[in-house]
Amino acid sequence: MLKISASNLNALFDRIAEKQTLYIPVDREPNVSEYKKYESGMTMSKALNTVRSAKDFFFPQTENLAEFKVSGKTIEVKDIRKENEDFVVFGVRACDARSFGILDKVFLSEPVDSFYKNRREHGTIVTMACTRPAETCFCTTFGIDPTVPGGDVSVFFDGENYFFLDNTPKGEAFVASVSDMLEDGDASKLAEVQENTRNIMKKLPLSGLSTDSFGGERLMEHFNSDKWAELSESCFGCGTCTFVCPTCQCYDIRDFDTGNGIKRFRCWDSCMYSDFTKMAHGNSRNSQLERFRQRFMHKLVYFPANNNGEFGCVGCGRCLSKCPISMNIVKVMKALEDK
Amino acid sequence: MQEAMIKRAKELLADGTVNRVMGWKKGEFAYDTTPAVFETAEEIDRDFIYNDFTQANQSKYLIKESRKEGKILALLKPCDTYSFNQLVKEHRIIRENVYVIGIPGGPKIDIEKIKAKGITGITNVKNEDYTLKIETIYGVETMPFYEAVSVKCESCKSKKHVVYDELIGEGGDILDSNRFDMVEKLENMTSQERYDFWRGELSRCIRCNACRNVCPACTCENCVFDNPKSGIDQKAAADSFEENMFHIIRAFHVAGRCTDCGECSRVCPQNIPLHLLNRKFIKDINCLYGEYQAGADTTSKAPLTDYRTDDCEPSVVHERGAE
Amino acid sequence: MQVNENFEPVIVAFCCNWCSYAGADLSGTNRLNYPANVKIIRVPCSCRVNPMFILRAFQRGADGVIICGCHPGDCHYTSGNYFTRRRITLLYSMLDFLGIERNRTRLEWVSAAEGAKFAAVMNQFVEDVKKLGPNRRLEDLRCRKQ
Amino acid sequence: MQRIGVFVCHCGTNIAATVDVKAVAEALSHEPGVVVSQDYQYMCSESGQELVKNAIKEHGLTGVVICSCSPRMHENTFRKAAASAGLNPYLVEIANIREQCSWIHKNIASATDKAVILGKAAVAKVHLNAPLTAGESPVVKRALVIGGGIAGIQTALDIAEAGFDVDIVEKEPTIGGKMAQIDKTFPTLDCAACILTPKMVEASQNERITIHSFSEVSDVKGFVGNFTVTIKKKARYVDETKCTGCGLCTEKCPMKKVPNEFNMGLDNRTAVYIPFAQAVPKVATIDPNYCMMLKNGKCGVCSKVCSVGAIDYKQTDRFIEQKYGAIVVATGFNPIKLDKYDEFAYSCCPDVVTSLELERLMNAAGPNGGTLLRPSDKTHPHTIVFVQCVGSRCDDEKGKPYCSKICCMYTAKHAMLIREKYPDTEVYVFYIDVRTPGKNFDEFYRRAVEQYNVHYIKGMVGKVTPKADGKIDVQASDLLSNEQLHINADMVVLAAAIEPDKTARPLATMLTTQMDTNDFFTEAHPKLRPVESATAGIFLSGACQGPKDIPETVAQASAAAAKAIGLLCKNSITCNPCVAHSDELMCNGCSACEKVCPYGAITYQDKEFRMPDRSTAIRRVASVNPAVCQGCGACTVACPSGAMDLNGFSNSQIMAEVDAICK
Amino acid sequence: MNKNEKDWIDITSGVNVRKCMRCGKCSATCPSYDEMEYHPHQFVYMVEKGDIEPLLNSVSLYKCLTCFACVERCPRGVEPAKVIEAVRLTAVRKQGNNHLLPDQIPDMLDDDLPQQAIVTAFRKYTK
């Protein structure tokens, strides 16, 4: 396998950044990381995962869709779509890498979302295998192996060297473009590291969590469960879980009158919000119970029902650590699952 | 302490003083406690928890709970009692329907501060004589208790319960806190430095509304930012202006009403020090219009619905130190 | 900082109907000059000015916002301007705290008899804002004029 | 879809000279919703209004924007025009392109640009205007007169004459005010008491007039046509209904060393007293600062001698609440305190007196029974110096910047009276200017000089020094002969400036009326509405509005009465429809709005609501009384949820204007 | 009329002579009145008219004790003493130089010199 020593990683970053935009996770505060556009001298974070997920690269929080200009009685529509430039996201974890597949199902099925598609086509995802999972991790519940992270290129770290494995033609091209900096290396230690990580995963407090009780076929049963009232009782209806979630994909489209024209843009929306999908007649879900139920039903029941059993959660654990009142999908699953 | 609270809660349930108990429910880990309403002694025995992590301010829940059938027991930390009082003052909580027990407050621990040390895989946290013993799947770690104290407790303003029907443990006093130090530090910066500081902070905002929704002063039936008729509604900040706008207006709307409970900063997933905006207003109000602590009582006039004919002119802002 | 000699700031002035708007009228009646940059919005009382309006003005491209009301004690509605004074003092202080240039905002008391003061205040304010240059710290880039 | 008409006025050349009106009309014709955009020579003229009316009918306009002079000038004109053409008057907006544009700017290009922007802002606003209907509120047929001097008495008599009930609130134990203290009046030299006291009696006997003496206004709520006033009836410790004014108690009262304020402290009265013989009401009052019974419970003589049992030591302040349709302020004036004028030795020399003190010294009912004697040694003064403008026309904190107006005339009067009664007395008047505009005024002054030989000297007194021999050295300059004089005087009389009564300022706050920097009430218009305040339903009578002599005061008092009668004649008045209203669905019931409302227009009620989640809930919500609300908008900003908004100046309208201006 | 000189006096005195309402209280209060050819009110009036030459040549200039009685008493805040002082300064400067230096004052003191003159001298030279 091709490898680069840890000490040369920044040289590699410099090389990548010469040709295209490179994003890497960097520490904002100790062990709190966020993706930043790479600039020479930046150090890759050692934190397990970024606070915000990597979905931002393909589905940003706000995005302009079109512009209109009204003059007199005529409306001029301006198509503002343009080809994106190539970019690389480095250090994506297995959970986030899986989330792209989930987002793809939403945005790339007909009608295709051209903004999303454009970004996907121009983005190369370089993943990073996990070695030190946290107690909030439960990706294995959804069949994700964090030691084989996927993406266009998988990167593994054995403590000294980073190993590169391309998974797609785009990944192959990426590795080829930097191959002169890489060297063939002995990946024998990797298997040991991976095995070690897998063992840790089994010891994690949430390792026993299972999706067996969920899926499309259990729709009415879960929908009518009497547990929702208690579960949703303390929910404040903020959108933190939604906005840190790598798979939440709901958005609202709005027009903004700049005074010199209209900008139509979309922005993330949260099914937890009281004005989510508000229509002329009002809201479709009027109580926080209904809204709360919607979010988890969507991830655990509706999504798999429409997508061959694939769940809408990747077990990254962000909502577990960020919910202001510590209510989360794990507690929901445990409450609803067959005992 | 937890035992005393459980005992008293069960007594009050049993004698019919209350029919529900607002408390905290234990979670998956040692630290994730969730505010919950308990209706039976069994539920309390099973799930009730009160420990170093039970930080959440429960007063906001009482808006709804106090409008339900029967009386509810609220266990309020000193800081929560200020929020509670303020909500009673604004006619949001029906006081008669709440039985308030004042309970000792913090300092509470912020799990994020433990995690910031690189400690992960946490399975248990024990406080052994103000040294935290943190059990993880990677082994046991220790750190001094005070290094993990949450930001809101670091600058605790008061250990006094301003409202209660009874107390568990001892009542405390208003403290001489250092809560305005950071505000002052910012005030002493140049305008450009302050601008850069706040851009750095506020640009991280993801408009998840956690700060607003958790805030006991933000209890509007319909927030102006959710109301298309207000003309300033927004779901996400499409421009840095909207980031500023949201936080300025939010801070302004709670000015004179914010009790400085610190929940906004606690819940911010992006760790934006939002409490500094509120404290700036509090500091200004204290300096310009006389000491005022929102929630300290239910009768005094709030600084923004009051005035003196000899109030200072806005030029005080323009005349302050250097730009 | 590069100073643009041709910079013509957009100034929004909120004037209370009873004193300052009449003061502005008086400066017109007396043919007292002040720059055309100043555009006046009539409000019943200075206490009608919501901080939202001020921020909105900056968002949409204003470079300075000034509020004018009756002198304290002279409010047509008795107490309106006292509330204004507290609210706006705190708001301006907050804007300053956020690093917004403090000379972009002002509150002045102008009575119906003070046409000369109105003109003088506006002249001074426009000059101050000109010195600051265009509002960049509290603008919405989407609204910037090309 | 809105159909908006824009009408740009040339105002002759007032606008058209600096604003290209045709270009403005052209530019505004492209604004959204604008279907007609015209310019015209004089839009406010009858033919101009006709143009607007025709356009409303012809184009079916839903909104009108007039680009013209200030809305303070012609907003009503155009609203009326719109109404007569069938358009709701509140769908008219004015863009002020004269006072705030053409008259300000010289450059045609920039003035035209600005006029276009102001027009656009008005168009943007009118898009959001809602038709408003003015409500009506009934008028309480009763007037309140605050102050019982000659102004208040005259106003009350006139209003009562017209058939309305009037209450007079007077803070002193008797009505009469300053005029009751005056000896003779200029320029006719008739006795003040002879013309005032019949009026006082008339007021007390008029069944439509209620006199609340020894009372103060403590609270005013409400609005034109419907004021609710709380009157504090101060404890006088004498039952007004029982006291016959026999005066026995005042004779027997052992506490006889109380400075008599009616005689300017020049003699003493008793602790229980009737200010003067013709007081109205003629009722005794006990001064609690001196009464031994009230101070330490030892005495009770008055109670013993009172045959009708009117003395009541347990009396306390009483508060009565009364509704009024109109309020007339007649709080009058006082001479300023002279203790800061060391150079005139007022504080240290008893023979330096103010003019009002001189009135008492010369009055038959005064301390000396009408014989002019020096206060110090009760001897007859042979040289008297009058000093004019003491504290008037001053540019410093000690005095007042205005001319007190009455001093020149009363000094001439005093000089003349002294010279007539005591021809052996030399009288000097030091003046800066002698101001005598008024019927027969200058003739009066000339008589003092020519007939009575009063020495008028142009110049000011610089220094007054009491000497050991009891004489007073007056050092002054004679500007015409350019010399410094020293006059060996027996008495010096200072014409102290007059100032509004101290109770006027807090009263103005209660009444929500405006005052100038000197605490004189500001009239609604200095020329055209001199007796009305800017606050509807509040009228001004007498010296509270500015220095006045008696004839002027009486004239203004009658004028104020006429204005009040005009209001009271109406059964109802049209309310301002630009008032606040709360969206109950958004209201939190937090009471912030209620706390900032100066009119108490906001109340709360618990109402049942169907919530979005189909449950019902009882919520506390605000509601605004449109008849009480004056439309200031304080509540709209206090309201965090935006539930409170203001008709005619709504959040969205103001933001639309902001947007249009910043565009 | 010497416009420049008038402007100069306006500036150095900081007094707005147009505020005078000609009441003469300054002269009425002046202890040096009889010594003077032109009295305080005349100073003010003549400066206002620009009629400064006679003042410059008058002994009155040096009779003012700068006791500030006129300043204290003037109801219009005109401050005649400052006007006189400004005229005096004009006269001094006209001579080309300050002939008197602070250190020279002690030597010039004699018993006949009024105290107030000494004070005046100090006041003048400490500025």
Side-chain angles (χ1 to χ4, degrees), chain D residues 384-388 408 411-412 415 427-431 434 454-459:
Chain D
I384 301 180
V385 172
F386 286 86
V387 186
Q388 298 292 80
C408 288
T411 299
V427 176
Y428 298 87
V429 177
F430 284 92
Y431 70 94
V434 178
V454 177
H455 307 296
Y456 268 78
I457 301 169
K458 175 157 173 67

Side-chain angles (χ1 to χ4, degrees), chain A residues 190-204:
Chain A
L190 273 184
E192 191 189 320
V193 172
Q194 283 177 316
E195 191 48 40
N196 185 29
T197 308
R198 286 192 194 107
N199 284 334
I200 295 170
M201 289 305 292
K202 284 184 198 133
K203 284 195 278 179
L204 289 178

Side-chain angles (χ1 to χ4, degrees), chain A residues 22-82:
Chain A
L22 168 67
Y23 298 94
I24 64 163
V26 294
D27 277 351
R28 180 172 80 213
E29 295 155 39
N31 291 296
V32 177
S33 69
E34 62 188 355
Y35 285 106
K36 277 238 161 119
K37 188 172 161 183
Y38 177 78
E39 281 164 28
S40 201
M42 279 183 175
T43 323
M44 189 163 73
S45 167
K46 291 197 168 47
L48 178 66
N49 219 340
T50 49
V51 176
R52 297 178 70 166
S53 85
K55 78 175 173 190
D56 303 28
F57 293 110
F58 306 105
F59 175 43
Q61 186 160 16
T62 60
E63 173 170 35
N64 285 335
L65 304 178
E67 285 177 17
F68 312 100
K69 202 158 184 123
V70 185
S71 48
K73 307 275 183 279
T74 59
I75 299 177
E76 182 196 335
V77 182
K78 203 169 149 197
D79 189 350
I80 57 164
R81 279 178 290 190
K82 54 176 190 279

Side-chain angles (χ1 to χ4, degrees), chain D residues 341 343-344 392-396 398 401 432 458-463 475-477 479 482-484, chain E residues 19 21-31 33-34 37 39 41-42 72-77:
Chain D
Y341 287 90
E343 65 265 40
F344 297 125
S392 298
R393 308 171 70 190
C394 277
D395 200 26
D396 52 27
K398 287 196 287 191
I432 304 170
K458 175 157 173 67
M460 192 62 183
V461 170
K463 207 166 153 191
Q475 177 183 321
S477 63
L479 291 177
N482 202 6
E483 58 182 337
Q484 199 176 56
Chain E
K19 289 180 75 175
M21 62 169 173
R22 324 223 190 286
C23 70
K25 200 172 178 184
C26 46
S27 291
T29 201
C30 181
Y33 188 96
D34 293 338
E37 175 189 6
H39 305 117
H41 72 277
Q42 287 173 292
E72 181 60 31
R73 303 276 157 80
C74 174
R76 305 292 305 163

Side-chain angles (χ1 to χ4, degrees), chain A residues 123-163:
Chain A
T124 305
I125 297 160
V126 183
T127 59
M128 179 71 70
C130 300
T131 54
R132 205 172 147 83
E135 73 278 9
T136 50
C137 292
F138 58 109
C139 56
T140 49
T141 303
F142 300 100
I144 297 167
D145 182 350
T147 64
V148 186
D152 293 312
V153 180
S154 304
V155 176
F156 309 89
F157 185 51
D158 69 356
E160 288 163 15
N161 296 300
Y162 291 93
F163 293 86

Side-chain angles (χ1 to χ4, degrees), chain D residues 443-644:
Chain D
E443 295 91 319
F444 184 80
Y445 150 62
R446 290 315 305 168
R447 251 165 64 210
V449 177
E450 295 165 23
Q451 212 173 313
Y452 289 92
N453 211 2
V454 177
H455 307 296
Y456 268 78
I457 301 169
K458 175 157 173 67
M460 192 62 183
V461 170
K463 207 166 153 191
V464 173
T465 320
K467 295 195 293 190
D469 62 357
K471 291 273 190 177
I472 303 168
D473 176 51
V474 178
Q475 177 183 321
S477 63
D478 181 340
L479 291 177
L480 296 180
S481 66
N482 202 6
E483 58 182 337
Q484 199 176 56
L485 304 175
H486 284 269
I487 293 170
N488 206 19
D490 297 309
M491 265 183 90
V492 174
V493 184
L494 306 174
I498 59 172
E499 64 180 357
D501 194 82
K502 294 285 177 221
T503 57
R505 173 60 76 176
L507 185 66
T509 306
M510 280 191 264
L511 294 169
T512 75
T513 48
Q514 289 166 37
M515 282 189 141
D516 64 18
T517 49
N518 299 313
D519 279 7
F520 286 115
F521 283 88
T522 307
E523 59 282 5
H525 191 285
K527 299 174 198 78
L528 305 177
R529 298 170 67 193
V531 298
E532 295 158 78
S533 80
T535 306
I538 312 274
F539 305 96
L540 309 174
S541 172
C544 67
Q545 182 260 350
K548 281 181 190 61
D549 57 30
I550 295 167
E552 242 187 305
T553 296
V554 173
Q556 208 210 12
S558 288
K563 282 285 168 191
I565 293 163
L567 169 62
L568 296 175
C569 281
K570 294 182 190 167
N571 288 322
S572 66
I573 40 165
T574 311
C575 306
N576 168 20
C578 294
V579 293
H581 59 91
S582 106
D583 182 338
E584 292 180 341
L585 286 177
M586 289 202 289
C587 175
N588 306 326
C590 70
S591 279
C593 54
E594 182 196 22
K595 299 208 173 80
V596 298
C597 179
Y599 306 102
I602 300 171
T603 50
Y604 284 86
Q605 54 204 123
D606 287 329
K607 272 194 173 177
E608 198 173 273
F609 286 89
R610 205 171 132 80
M611 302 302 282
D613 62 1
R614 299 171 210 89
S615 62
T616 47
I618 303 217
R619 288 176 39 224
R620 182 178 193 270
V621 290
S623 60
V624 179
N625 179 348
V628 182
C629 175
Q630 298 292 294
C632 68
C635 53
T636 61
V637 183
C639 176
S641 69
M644 200 58 92

Side-chain angles (χ1 to χ4, degrees), chain C residues 25 33 38 42 56 78 87, chain D residues 70 75 106 114 512 634 659:
Chain C
D25 278 356
N33 256 256
V38 178
R42 185 165 68 125
R56 176 81 162 211
T78 327
R87 288 168 185 165
Chain D
S70 173
E75 189 171 54
K106 294 199 172 77
K114 178 169 171 181
T512 75
D659 290 1

Side-chain angles (χ1 to χ4, degrees), chain A residues 61 135 230 234 269 334, chain B residues 25 28 31 61 206 235:
Chain A
Q61 186 160 16
E135 73 278 9
E230 192 192 330
S234 47
D269 203 347
K334 289 198 169 178
Chain B
K25 194 172 173 175
E28 291 300 318
Y31 56 79
Y61 291 109
I206 57 172
K235 272 199 169 148

